[in-house]
Amino acid sequence: MNFVTLTSDIGYQDYLVGAVKAQLLQIDADIHLVDISHNITPFNFPQASYVCRGAFKNFPEFTFHLILVNLFGTKPEHLLVAFHKNQYIICADNGLLNMILEERPDIIIGIPLDKKAVKNTLYITGIIAKTVERLVNGESIQKIGIADFNFIDKNPLQPLVDTSYIEGQIIFIDNFENVIVNITRKQFEEQRRGRNFKIVFKRDEVIDKISESYADVREGDKLALFNSADYLEIAINKGNAAGLFGLKGFSDKASQSSNIMQNQLLYQTVRVYFG
């Protein structure tokens, strides 16, 4: 059985998700389609990379992961097909691929698009569907496009590190308004080196221990834990951490803009002090 996952910023308001699935089902009616998310915030690459990275590693080998995020950030002239750790990833050449993988893919191919075509979403996904079909039918990835393609490479969003602290950015807020920070358990422990710690956000909110579950604290109390993707999470037991504390997802624009926007960073970052 061939698994195909879909991740997009399309949403569910119109017909496009259904139309994309119809294109894929024309390849093989028995193909197993899995929605990861269609509610990625537009232009939010840290969020998209977190969602994809957390999901992809749970799928069987040779799954096809189709990423329809920011397809038209620039005028598309080609698509990327990557094969990495026995998984296929197909996406736009917009820098997201490297942010998801956090390293260069094992194999990278460029799929040229017809210069005369009207490059709307369904044209792009039609090319993706044909590419999946060729691979499913046993065609070598090396023969379906331009090998060793020179793709756009954006650095993954990484926490800031100092001897006495590590500062992470809020990369995702889930349906319960739990706040996920781009600090992994490994990064936390490597920087901690057995020392005591204080997790600080909004200047005056402090957590000084890691819980194993939400139920480790009383209802309404705040807590920190490492979630199932092994990222630091700030939560409130049976509450809404993001809403209560005014926390927001990290924005590249705020990090590069005016002083007013810079003030927003206070609500987009979490710092862990060690000592």
Side-chain angles (χ1 to χ4, degrees), residues 3 22 29-30 40 48 63 74 95 104 109 117 136 140 142 154 163 173 227 241 251 264 267 272 274:
F3 285 85
D30 293 325
I40 299 296
T63 293
T74 59
R104 187 171 179 84
I109 302 294
V136 166
S140 169
Q142 300 282 12
K154 284 190 177 182
T163 55
I173 297 173
N227 66 11
S251 167
Q264 294 293 319
Y267 303 94
V272 185
F274 301 104

Side-chain angles (χ1 to χ4, degrees), residues 130-150:
K130 291 176 182 176
T131 301
V132 172
E133 182 177 28
R134 293 172 69 180
L135 293 168
V136 166
N137 289 336
E139 193 166 346
S140 169
I141 187 173
Q142 300 282 12
K143 295 181 179 180
I144 66 171
I146 303 169
D148 297 322
F149 192 80
N150 186 24

Side-chain angles (χ1 to χ4, degrees), residues 249-268:
F250 180 80
S251 167
D252 287 326
K253 291 182 180 179
S255 68
Q256 300 167 4
S257 299
S258 66
N259 290 335
I260 294 175
M261 293 299 289
Q262 284 283 333
N263 290 335
Q264 294 293 319
L265 292 176
L266 177 65
Y267 303 94
Q268 299 172 2

Side-chain angles (χ1 to χ4, degrees), residues 26-231:
Q26 290 184 53
I27 298 170
D28 182 352
D30 293 325
I31 204 167
H32 197 82
L33 294 173
V34 180
D35 292 302
I36 292 177
S37 176
H38 295 291
N39 291 319
I40 299 296
T41 303
F43 318 117
N44 192 324
F45 283 19
Q47 182 191 97
S49 58
Y50 166 76
V51 169
C52 291
R53 189 164 53 248
F56 290 178
K57 62 186 178 182
N58 294 289
F59 281 87
E61 291 185 340
F62 307 108
T63 293
F64 295 90
H65 302 289
L66 314 186
I67 307 171
L68 313 178
V69 172
N70 198 30
L71 290 178
F72 305 103
T74 59
K75 187 175 181 179
E77 298 180 351
H78 49 265
L79 296 170
L80 299 179
V81 181
F83 186 67
H84 189 66
K85 296 182 178 179
N86 291 332
Q87 304 275 343
Y88 292 100
I89 301 174
I90 304 178
C91 62
D93 185 12
N94 55 19
L96 182 56
L97 178 63
N98 195 65
M99 292 184 72
I100 294 170
L101 300 182
E102 298 184 316
E103 58 186 343
R104 187 171 179 84
D106 297 333
I107 299 174
I108 183 71
I109 302 294
I111 305 294
L113 303 177
D114 186 345
K115 293 182 179 180
K116 297 180 180 180
V118 177
K119 298 177 182 66
N120 56 32
T121 299
L122 290 182
Y123 168 78
I124 298 291
T125 55
I127 298 298
I128 291 174
K130 291 176 182 176
T131 301
V132 172
E133 182 177 28
R134 293 172 69 180
L135 293 168
V136 166
N137 289 336
E139 193 166 346
S140 169
I141 187 173
Q142 300 282 12
K143 295 181 179 180
I144 66 171
I146 303 169
D148 297 322
F149 192 80
N150 186 24
F151 62 100
I152 295 174
D153 186 353
K154 284 190 177 182
N155 292 325
L157 186 64
Q158 295 289 347
L160 301 175
V161 175
D162 188 77
T163 55
S164 61
Y165 70 83
I166 181 170
E167 181 179 279
Q169 295 79 35
I170 296 170
I171 54 173
F172 191 74
I173 297 173
D174 70 16
N175 195 48
F176 298 95
E177 295 197 21
N178 301 320
V179 173
I180 291 84
V181 183
N182 69 327
I183 298 174
T184 65
R185 186 194 302 269
K186 180 181 178 182
Q187 290 169 328
F188 178 88
E189 293 298 346
E190 285 178 349
Q191 194 66 15
R192 179 186 180 188
R193 300 195 300 275
R195 294 177 289 177
N196 293 329
F197 64 89
K198 292 191 301 182
I199 301 170
V200 180
F201 50 99
K202 280 191 63 180
R203 290 198 179 98
D204 54 356
E205 295 292 342
V206 176
I207 301 172
D208 59 6
K209 67 177 182 179
I210 298 295
S211 298
E212 293 184 358
S213 74
Y214 305 114
D216 285 353
V217 301
R218 295 176 300 178
E219 186 172 327
D221 284 355
K222 61 182 179 289
L223 69 142
L225 51 74
F226 286 99
N227 66 11
S228 55
D230 238 14
Y231 280 81

